[in-house]
Amino acid sequence: MGRADEITGAMRYAAKVDNARFIMDKYKAGYKIINAGSDGRGFFKMMKSAYGMELKILYRDTDICVVQKEPGMLCEDAPGGIPPLLRAQLQTDYAAVVHRLDAGTGGAMVFALNKNAAGKLSLQLQAGEFAKTYLAVTHGCPPEREGIYRDLLFHDRRANKTFVVKNERKGVKEAVMSYRIKACADGLSLWEIQLLTGRTHQIRVQLGSRKMPLVGDRRYGARDAYKGLALWAKELSFCHPQSEQRLTFTCLPEYKEPWDRFVKQD
């Protein structure tokens, strides 16, 4: 089991059992017993003890906190999710989700530290004023090195899977993304993607439907043994909820498989 899988498993368990007691150890099947607690403080101690980790903060002021989400972490505001973990780490009573990343996706995320900031950031998100750039590694390479993909998507909530469809109907939404191929190696491609819409599993299904699934994305067609999802939120840009200054935050994935074939950290 990989580190991201272990983190996801621990978080899913935490989300199910409030005030749970965990047995956790970095090297063995057993775990140290720690009271998770509903406020996230126990879970923060558990994660730090077991993995020597805490959330990496890229920026923080009185209104917002931008963090680097690790693959495997959950965005839900529930015991075991990032918001209670962040509240515990910052020792604050408020840290709200503004946007989401799939559990297997890592990268830059912003959280609101008060209700006013949450409202203003949510309005920006709804108006399409957030700019999001992703890195992805896929099997195969498109014939064009750059372009735009447009699709009609339908998300089946029961199956938690998104499908490309041909006709508009209730629940169907247009999905648009632009891309540039940065490199190709060993049958894999490194993509830089800008989302022009934000649909559930959008990048995963738009690439998978074209027979170029993300490495590790067996839900959308990959057949490899990679433990994880080769998708990373590289850059996030939005206006500060108080100053209205445009802010841009960038982070890169860890230099390991499959990123080490392409991405070199500074």
Side-chain angles (χ1 to χ4, degrees):
M1 180 181 289
R3 180 169 177 269
D5 294 328
E6 290 178 331
I7 294 172
T8 301
M11 283 189 155
R12 290 195 186 283
Y13 188 65
K16 290 180 180 179
V17 186
D18 194 11
N19 293 311
R21 294 181 67 81
F22 296 92
I23 298 178
M24 196 164 194
D25 185 90
K26 187 175 182 179
Y27 305 104
K28 301 177 182 178
Y31 293 111
K32 298 176 183 177
I33 297 176
I34 297 175
N35 191 333
S38 59
D39 61 359
R41 287 177 171 80
F43 186 72
F44 170 63
K45 291 179 182 178
M46 177 187 74
M47 296 296 287
K48 192 171 183 179
S49 172
Y51 296 102
M53 68 167 289
E54 56 186 50
L55 289 167
K56 182 177 180 180
I57 296 175
L58 305 178
Y59 174 82
R60 180 197 175 187
D61 60 25
T62 57
D63 297 296
I64 62 172
C65 184
V66 181
V67 307
Q68 178 174 306
K69 175 188 176 295
E70 295 297 329
M73 287 185 161
L74 304 178
C75 298
E76 285 85 351
D77 195 346
I82 292 179
L85 182 60
L86 183 61
R87 287 193 288 269
Q89 184 171 332
L90 299 182
Q91 296 186 349
T92 182
D93 294 328
Y94 193 97
V97 176
V98 175
H99 62 112
R100 298 179 183 275
L101 293 175
D102 289 346
T105 304
M109 289 190 70
V110 61
F111 291 84
L113 298 184
N114 56 64
K115 291 183 179 180
N116 184 58
K120 289 183 177 181
L121 289 173
S122 295
L123 288 175
Q124 284 188 56
L125 187 67
Q126 293 169 13
E129 296 171 358
F130 269 51
K132 304 174 186 177
T133 302
Y134 291 78
L135 294 176
V137 179
T138 70
H139 295 279
C141 188
E144 302 293 335
R145 301 286 290 193
E146 59 182 57
I148 296 177
Y149 289 156
R150 295 178 181 272
D151 293 292
L152 295 176
L153 302 185
F154 175 78
H155 181 66
D156 185 335
R157 293 187 179 182
R158 181 173 297 180
N160 190 28
K161 189 172 182 179
T162 301
F163 299 89
V164 173
V165 298
K166 293 183 178 180
N167 301 313
E168 292 188 4
R169 64 176 189 270
K170 184 178 180 180
V172 170
K173 297 179 180 179
E174 184 182 37
V176 186
M177 66 175 237
S178 65
Y179 73 88
R180 180 169 65 93
I181 301 300
K182 297 174 69 68
C184 296
D186 303 324
L188 303 178
S189 300
L190 176 65
W191 302 59
E192 184 174 84
I193 296 168
Q194 288 190 321
L195 281 185
L196 305 181
T197 55
R199 311 304 183 200
T200 303
H201 298 177
Q202 179 176 333
I203 293 174
R204 298 168 65 183
V205 67
Q206 286 197 277
L207 297 182
S209 67
R210 290 172 169 83
K211 310 301 181 185
M212 295 177 291
L214 296 172
V215 170
D217 195 2
R218 284 169 287 282
R219 179 180 290 267
Y220 291 101
R223 297 180 181 274
D224 55 66
Y226 177 67
K227 301 295 184 181
L229 190 66
L231 183 61
W232 185 267
K234 170 192 172 185
E235 187 173 284
L236 178 65
S237 180
F238 56 91
C239 290
H240 192 279
Q242 290 300 328
S243 70
E244 299 184 355
Q245 177 185 358
R246 192 75 184 177
L247 303 175
T248 301
F249 300 94
T250 303
C251 60
L252 293 175
E254 188 176 352
Y255 189 58
K256 64 180 183 180
E257 182 72 20
W259 304 104
D260 56 359
R261 304 194 192 195
F262 308 102
V263 181
K264 183 73 174 179
Q265 298 246 32
D266 293 335

